[in-house]
Amino acid sequence: MQTLGMGQAINQALREEMTRDERVFLAGEGIGVGIHDSPLMPTAGLLATFGPGRVKDTPVSEAAIAGLAVGAAAAGLRPVVEVMFNPFFTLASDMIVNHAAKLRYLSGGKTAFPLVVRLKSGAGFGAGCQHSHNLEAWVAHCPGLKVVMPSSPADAKGLLKAAIRDPNPVIFIEDMALYFAPAPVPEEEYVIPLGQAEIKRPGRDVTLVAWSKMVGVALQAAEQLAAEGIEAELVDPRCLGPLDTATIVESVRKTGRLVVVHEANRTGGFAGEIAAVVMEQAFSALKAPLRRVAGPDIPVPASPPLERFYIPDSARVVAAVRSIL
Amino acid sequence: MQTLGMGQAINQALREEMTRDERVFLAGEGIGVGIHDSPLMPTAGLLATFGPGRVKDTPVSEAAIAGLAVGAAAAGLRPVVEVMFNPFFTLASDMIVNHAAKLRYLSGGKTAFPLVVRLKSGAGFGAGCQHSHNLEAWVAHCPGLKVVMPSSPADAKGLLKAAIRDPNPVIFIEDMALYFAPAPVPEEEYVIPLGQAEIKRPGRDVTLVAWSKMVGVALQAAEQLAAEGIEAELVDPRCLGPLDTATIVESVRKTGRLVVVHEANRTGGFAGEIAAVVMEQAFSALKAPLRRVAGPDIPVPASPPLERFYIPDSARVVAAVRSIL
Amino acid sequence: MGIPTQKKHEMMRSMLLARQFEERLSGLYRQPGKIHGMLILATGQEAVGAGVCAALTEADVILGNHRSHHHLLARGADPNALMAEIFGKRTGCNKGKSGTLHLAVPEVNALCTTTVVGGGLPIAVGLGFAQHYDKRDAVTVCFFGDGACAEGSFHESLNLAALWRLPVIFVCENNRYAAAQSYAEHSPVPSLAVRADGYGMVGESVDGNDALAVFAATERARARALRGEGPSLIECLTYRWGGHGESDHQTYQPADEIAAWKRKCPVERLAQALIAAGEVSEDDLARMRDAVAARVEAAVRFAEDSPYPAPEEALDDVWAE
Amino acid sequence: MGIPTQKKHEMMRSMLLARQFEERLSGLYRQPGKIHGMLILATGQEAVGAGVCAALTEADVILGNHRSHHHLLARGADPNALMAEIFGKRTGCNKGKSGTLHLAVPEVNALCTTTVVGGGLPIAVGLGFAQHYDKRDAVTVCFFGDGACAEGSFHESLNLAALWRLPVIFVCENNRYAAAQSYAEHSPVPSLAVRADGYGMVGESVDGNDALAVFAATERARARALRGEGPSLIECLTYRWGGHGESDHQTYQPADEIAAWKRKCPVERLAQALIAAGEVSEDDLARMRDAVAARVEAAVRFAEDSPYPAPEEALDDVWAE
Ligand SMILES: Cc1ncc(C[n+]2csc(CCOP(=O)(O)OP(=O)(O)O)c2C)c(N)n1
Ligand SMILES: Cc1ncc(C[n+]2csc(CCOP(=O)(O)OP(=O)(O)O)c2C)c(N)n1
Ligand SMILES: [Mg+2]
Ligand SMILES: [Mg+2]
């Protein structure tokens, strides 16, 4: 096994898919020539390998970047475009939500839009709320979009390869903190199908559902709880759309308790969907109230102590679990 | 009492507030000179009354319209701008979500952004998914935005007046079908505070939570159920942000059963938030699983039988209630 | 003028077809329960679709907007499938999912259509990019209105297409109105073609009621694109005879303005030009009109005889397998 | 040239202040744990903030972007409050909510700042609209970069401001880079000022390293705006000495390019001009430099001595009462 940060794993996935299929191309702001020359970045070195014809640095034009992907996909290419920070998704959202997600339906199934939009996301780098705003709940609410939120380099690689091969538009959301958290990644080629949750840790007492960076936080919490003899099962849906409800429901049927963890603001966050699914499908198994551990309902502040206050940590997860045992 | 459609009630609210406060102005596409000359439309006749200085027809520029509101509000005016159809909110979403909602926080509470964005929403007029796409869950997930979704002309009038007087950005979402459903509206002036749910129908057996056009659908269902001796309590939150959780929780504590109804797509819809709140705060009172009655996870189709299939009706609500009794 | 007679006949036919197709629709719209939702027509603007599409080859791609019946008919779309889609029938080109507003006809390289004003332009950039990427000898034409030129997407798209020298022809159909807003009320400049300079691309304003002028401008733009000289902006000056949509009261359009433009009817204009040039006779024209009338009747019959989709069919076609 | 000496002194002081303020920040950024997150500086671009703001009166409003220390200092913002905010301290002008990227200083009519590229322009239209609505004798200045000119918001904003003849001055600080993309890589036109023609507004390109030229162009634009002639676009040609941000490796900026522009230092240039004109002596300059150095030191001390906000303070300031 190799040890890679998530950015490096994404970089490998992009390299492998671009090598496999010459219809795959990349576009975005600074994805070729960037302000960071760190090898930890997802697109590092790809311009040198594949050239300016397939690695397209763009002007600062999020709507055009997304439209480029929609049109190129309709014409048979396999665009993988980047939106630099999640809040700027707003500027691309008409192209993605009203076009990428709907035009196939509007064509009566005649035209396909196989594209990937990579969104860099997450709080913790002191840039404030116009750079840090987790909006996965927006895209997970849009029929016609698949939504991937990997929690590890290994998952990111396999899921991105699947996303690039998928005939539908896929929103691939990367928490930037994971670029700097090396972890093992298989050497041999592999693809992880979209829509399959993974149980990151088995347990019998409570089900934790978390995705992206929060999987690591939940795992820490689970270990602290284990020290007290509480065995938490950690389910990582990996994709919010399609959501693997079966795995979540099965886990809650076993544990009877549910805590959902996400970094996004609490109100209207995707934890609500998971709560609803469990309440619909596993009601009789529930032994305790739901708990949500999420960002408070404020924009992400810039000052370090304020930003730390925003980001959910394992202590909050532990407290939430204790409160329902 | 006068009898008005919701558009007429909104028109009255706009007239009264523009008369009361000359800082209030309107902007949008065709809000002055429009393609419809029906008196049922929200902005009918306002140009004639208040003149082109205060009723501004704009080019087709949703981002600029929203930015106009943000800047004018920062400078002390009270903008009320219109986004013609909910899906076009995407084009204004950077201005509203990254600016209107966040700039006050970023200023450390120094600058205020008192503005109203009126969004016309709802399926049922055969225009398809680029005109009909209910996105209230997006804005209800954004700290810094208040979200109003009136279900009746009387509520719309009082709530819009409150929204215009509110010192924060308010997203006011109008289901266009309600423009054509006349109902009584008080003659005398009144304001309905934001954040207060209303129980549209008391009952003991099941709690229905619905907003906007779905309140009427839920009410029909409640009457059909009453004929079978089932007394449904219908709670209309009226605002999704701030959400009056107390009234919802209290109702479920009483009935022990919850059905949430919205027209928006099921997955990731705001019903999830309500489910989570109830599961957190009224768990021990719950006697049955949650049921959601919502639009299926597809874009809104254009053809009449397909569009009818999309829109939740009272029969589906009745069936959902029966399934948990 | 060097335009082959057969091309002129092709334009003549497609203009007659668009005119009759839409006049028939306008009548049907007034019959309750036949056509649902909005109905947006291009009557008076037929020369734009006809002139542009006659200058294209099969490999070229077009992308239209909410007012695109004339574009698609000029491109050769099947009137039956269009009419049935406008009726919301299962036999429509999009199985009733779209209706009139976003007709997609991949069979004629109209891969998608958008009713989001300005929404077509960024997608056209992507379509043109793919043609460039695949080194195809083909161009993408994007049709949009004068109102769309106020959208940010207009700017981002022309800028990117110019920067990358993509084979895209941006065709602005300036019919003097954006819904109820007159051109002067929504645009600060007398002509939109000037905006091409801001991107270093060629911009032309042409008489949009003169199919031959539109054809010629499109040929020039297409040749530039295929020579690798990048995109062009063509502003076609025309006029919307009817309201924005068929339910529009149209009171904001001065009666004399409408009358003046009706005197400049693009269909009549081409007919007279061809007669003057001896390229058609009155009899030829009469035959063309009759053939078109029959075609339109057949389309209406096809649409009326077709079934609506079953409700559950709404669940199909969201996902590609 | 008719610019009062006292104005020139004002510009000189604000440029010295901006330069020293940011050079100090650059040093502090290299000390671990002092400044968190991104740090984006305008070293080399000081003449733009100084020249523009010297031409404004108190009632005028400015709106900046992610690279706005020099704008705010030139406008008269308190260096202590700015420095403390950049440090993330409770005493910062925005209580630590913002940090360096979106500093709001309403005390000097900088009501808000946005780091969304192009995000300032539509808001500036609203600010200018309010000045017009209230019939104030004031203008709004919007600062943005060359990269921002590729955003749709640039287009929508100039279009609407021109259509309504709003008193907005759009100041494009063309420092030849949009992050790592050089001007030629991201823009298809040699100059951005030409885009003004597409909106029927006046556009000028000026030497952005010449504070006096920037001042004069701003005065002209402001006079036009107050005469009701609407908005203007001023492109200030300048250069980013450092990387996009302080953690940028900058390898994509040719060393000789950087060196050539450093020889055109705007601070030195104004100093020499004033000396040549006999409007300052070397001693005056030395005194100014010392005064500024002391001011910057005081600001750093203030920031370092200030407490961080308590974590729960994150919950404040979302809502207005
Ligand atoms: C983004 C967006 N905003 C508003 C609308 C509503 N709308 C539909 S057509 C139209 C006017 C468009 O005018 P123009 O671009 O000139 O095209 P025309 O209708 O004249 O052919 C408007 C405002 C829309 N469909 N999309
Ligand atoms: C909408 C948006 N897209 C991308 C970014 C990331 N970003 C920050 S600054 C910048 C470059 C801006 O270049 P320019 O407008 O020339 O301003 P400069 O940094 O040169 O002062 C980019 C792409 C952003 N902040 N906002
Ligand atoms: Mg038009
Ligand atoms: Mg720049």
Side-chain angles (χ1 to χ4, degrees), chain A residues 22 64 99 105 107 110-111 168, chain C residues 93 107 111 114 133 156 314 320:
Chain A
E22 64 178 17
H99 294 91
Y105 191 71
S107 78
K110 285 181 170 176
T111 309
N168 298 286
Chain C
C93 50
E107 299 80 356
L111 301 174
T114 175
Y133 190 91
E156 293 193 17

Side-chain angles (χ1 to χ4, degrees), chain C residues 45 65-67 144-148 172-179 181 183 186 240 244:
Chain C
Q45 306 177 200
N65 64 0
H66 55 281
R67 196 183 302 280
F144 53 91
D146 47 309
C172 175
E173 208 160 346
N174 184 348
N175 62 5
R176 316 308 295 173
Y177 285 89
Q181 275 56 61
Y183 183 78
H186 78 69
R240 198 187 73 196
H244 171 65

Side-chain angles (χ1 to χ4, degrees), chain D residues 237-321:
Chain D
L237 299 167
T238 181
Y239 190 78
R240 198 186 73 195
W241 285 15
H244 171 66
E246 285 301 283
S247 50
D248 179 343
H249 56 88
Q250 216 185 353
T251 48
Y252 52 85
Q253 275 172 276
D256 56 347
E257 181 183 88
I258 299 173
W261 277 94
K262 284 190 172 174
R263 285 192 294 276
K264 301 191 235 170
C265 173
V267 182
E268 267 319 295
R269 177 162 178 176
L270 182 61
Q272 293 316 319
L274 296 197
I275 287 166
E279 293 179 292
V280 292
S281 67
E282 290 286 6
D283 292 0
D284 299 333
L285 272 173
R287 271 190 296 278
M288 285 188 190
R289 284 206 174 79
D290 296 347
V292 161
R295 191 71 196 80
V296 170
E297 266 328 293
V300 172
R301 216 171 315 107
F302 175 80
E304 294 198 323
D305 296 349
S306 294
Y308 281 107
E312 312 66 40
E313 291 176 33
L315 299 171
D316 306 336
D317 301 322
V318 177
W319 302 106
E321 295 315 324

Side-chain angles (χ1 to χ4, degrees), chain A residues 8-276:
Chain A
Q8 294 168 294
I10 287 165
N11 192 279
Q12 274 192 359
L14 293 171
R15 279 180 193 280
E16 291 177 12
E17 292 305 298
M18 289 180 81
T19 306
R20 181 187 59 80
D21 181 353
E22 64 178 17
R23 294 172 307 155
V24 178
F25 75 96
L26 313 182
E29 297 159 11
I31 60 154
V33 178
I35 60 176
H36 311 286
D37 61 357
S38 159
L40 296 178
M41 293 317 230
T43 55
L46 296 176
L47 176 62
T49 308
F50 297 100
R54 295 181 69 191
V55 179
K56 309 293 297 180
D57 276 320
T58 67
V60 193
S61 305
E62 286 73 16
I65 292 166
L68 172 72
V70 173
L77 300 185
R78 294 284 178 149
V80 181
V81 299
E82 176 179 299
V83 171
M84 201 183 265
F85 296 108
N86 199 331
F88 311 147
F89 172 81
T90 52
L91 293 157
S93 61
D94 168 60
M95 276 299 129
I96 295 168
V97 171
N98 290 326
H99 294 91
K102 295 175 180 175
L103 287 175
R104 174 179 177 74
Y105 191 71
L106 286 168
S107 78
K110 285 181 170 176
T111 309
F113 298 86
L115 60 94
V116 177
V117 179
R118 295 180 40 247
L119 279 182
K120 292 180 179 165
S121 182
F125 55 107
C129 60
Q130 287 184 331
H131 283 76
S132 297
H133 190 182
N134 298 47
L135 291 172
E136 68 264 22
W138 281 24
V139 278
H141 186 40
C142 294
L145 299 180
K146 297 189 176 183
V147 181
V148 184
M149 286 190 85
S151 64
S152 73
D155 282 356
K157 183 178 177 181
L159 291 164
L160 181 54
K161 285 168 69 80
I164 292 170
R165 299 177 189 192
D166 197 280
N168 298 286
V170 180
I171 312 301
F172 190 89
I173 305 177
E174 306 165 10
D175 189 302
M176 291 174 283
L178 298 175
Y179 294 166
F180 310 101
V185 174
E187 304 277 351
E188 67 283 4
E189 205 204 338
Y190 63 99
V191 173
I192 301 175
L194 304 185
Q196 296 186 4
E198 184 174 66
I199 295 179
K200 297 292 186 181
R201 182 188 192 286
R204 60 172 188 276
D205 301 325
V206 58
T207 298
L208 304 179
V209 177
W211 50 90
S212 190
K213 185 174 60 195
M214 289 298 119
V215 168
V217 171
L219 207 50
Q220 278 176 30
E223 279 149 18
Q224 295 169 43
L225 289 162
E228 311 171 15
I230 301 162
E231 291 302 331
E233 177 151 291
L234 173 55
V235 180
D236 174 2
R238 300 196 291 197
C239 298
L240 302 188
L243 181 66
D244 179 353
T245 55
T247 301
I248 296 168
V249 166
E250 192 185 323
S251 177
V252 176
R253 287 222 178 92
K254 179 174 66 179
T255 65
R257 292 181 167 80
L258 174 64
V259 174
V260 188
V261 188
H262 60 61
E263 184 178 271
N265 303 105
R266 174 186 183 88
T267 298
F270 199 72
E273 177 63 27
I274 289 166

Side-chain angles (χ1 to χ4, degrees), chain D residues 75-227:
Chain D
R75 187 64 180 155
D78 170 13
N80 287 10
L82 291 186
M83 190 64 79
E85 186 63 32
I86 295 165
F87 272 68
K89 299 301 183 79
R90 170 192 272 138
T91 56
C93 50
N94 310 122
K95 308 185 193 167
K97 302 291 197 310
S98 163
T100 171
L101 287 176
H102 358 59
L103 297 155
V105 189
E107 299 80 356
V108 297
N109 266 341
L111 302 174
C112 56
T113 298
T114 174
T115 181
V116 176
V117 167
L121 287 89
I123 298 171
V125 171
L127 292 163
F129 175 81
Q131 292 168 323
H132 172 80
Y133 190 92
D134 293 341
K135 303 189 177 43
R136 294 186 212 137
D137 261 334
V139 303
T140 295
V141 169
C142 183
F143 293 101
F144 54 91
D146 48 308
C149 299
E151 287 283 3
S153 57
F154 167 90
H155 174 70
E156 293 193 18
S157 303
L158 269 69
N159 188 59
L160 187 57
L163 182 69
W164 290 354
R165 298 184 157 281
L166 299 177
V168 181
I169 305 176
F170 295 99
V171 177
C172 175
E173 208 160 348
N174 184 347
N175 62 6
R176 317 308 297 173
Y177 285 89
Q181 275 55 59
S182 71
Y183 183 77
E185 288 166 325
H186 78 70
S187 177
V189 278
S191 155
L192 292 162
V194 302
R195 291 189 172 167
D197 302 343
Y199 310 102
M201 73 170 73
V202 176
E204 294 194 53
S205 271
V206 301
D207 181 339
N209 283 18
D210 178 352
L212 303 177
V214 172
F215 176 91
T218 307
E219 268 201 327
R220 285 190 294 274
R222 188 171 184 281
R224 282 191 298 271
L226 295 183
R227 283 198 305 270

